[in-house]
Amino acid sequence: MKVAIIMGSTSDLEVMKPAIETLESFGLEYEKKVISAHRTPDLMCEYAKSARSRGIGAIIAGAGGAAHVAGVVAGMTTVPVIGVPIQTKTLGGLDSLLAIVQMPAGIPVATMAINGSKNAALLAVEMFALTDETLAAKLEEFRRKQTQKVLEAEI
Ligand code: RP5
């Protein structure tokens, strides 16, 4: 199983990079693609509908503004979707957040913080780690190091 990272535009790539780096640091297989709900709707449908049969175990979807890709993809697959609202120049990303988070009951999207792509990847890692002891151990180590870093911080 692998993770899919999709984003509404190439302009979202910078914000989505921490997700890519995080998946790589845990050694998770992933694919990444620009898919827009509005500019490439046919591709979005095809991608969402074939995700499970292509071995995708989680979809991380970043988008800004009228950020519909996460929700619409979630409506077309039972593969878990993790939404990342991208900060926007005009409305700061609150627009993206609200567009992603307010899903109707029955079609969940796990919505991260604005620009929270690192946590999106970590959530995917946690999901995959439920059935992968080696990955679970890596997560424990990640958390241990993170805690250690805070405890050792000098201010
Ligand atoms: C959304 O519109 C994208 O996800 C992006 O965050 C935003 C702006 O896209 P561009 O106009 O930069 O392509 O669809």
Side-chain angles (χ1 to χ4, degrees):
M1 265 203 315
K2 62 179 170 178
V3 179
I5 299 179
I6 62 174
M7 59 200 85
S9 168
T10 52
S11 66
D12 297 326
L13 182 60
E14 209 46 45
V15 170
M16 297 306 285
K17 269 186 184 160
I20 295 167
E21 288 161 5
T22 301
L23 293 180
E24 285 178 353
S25 73
F26 279 94
L28 246 67
E29 215 186 315
Y30 69 93
E31 63 182 37
K32 58 183 189 314
K33 197 161 183 60
V34 172
I35 296 179
S36 163
H38 313 106
R39 293 168 177 156
T40 63
D42 291 341
L43 170 65
M44 178 185 60
C45 293
E46 193 185 304
Y47 192 89
K49 288 178 180 173
S50 66
R52 182 173 289 278
S53 63
R54 291 189 306 104
I56 304 292
I59 299 172
I60 295 172
H68 298 141
V69 70
V72 179
V73 164
M76 288 187 290
T77 181
T78 53
V79 171
V81 176
I82 304 169
V84 180
I86 308 279
Q87 191 169 5
T88 56
K89 289 194 187 94
T90 40
L91 296 172
L94 191 57
D95 44 349
S96 323
L97 174 65
L98 297 180
I100 294 176
V101 78
Q102 290 291 26
M103 288 297 293
I107 308 293
V109 169
T111 308
M112 301 295 103
I114 295 168
N115 287 358
S117 77
K118 180 173 180 171
N119 272 359
L122 285 172
L123 185 58
V125 172
E126 289 181 358
M127 286 157 53
F128 281 34
L130 289 172
T131 52
D132 184 333
E133 285 302 319
T134 311
L135 196 56
K138 279 186 189 171
L139 262 174
E140 289 294 339
E141 181 59 9
F142 167 82
R143 291 285 185 98
R144 192 194 63 73
K145 279 185 182 160
Q146 183 170 250
T147 301
Q148 195 61 27
K149 205 173 162 188
V150 175
L151 292 175
E152 286 170 0
E154 286 184 25
I155 54 169

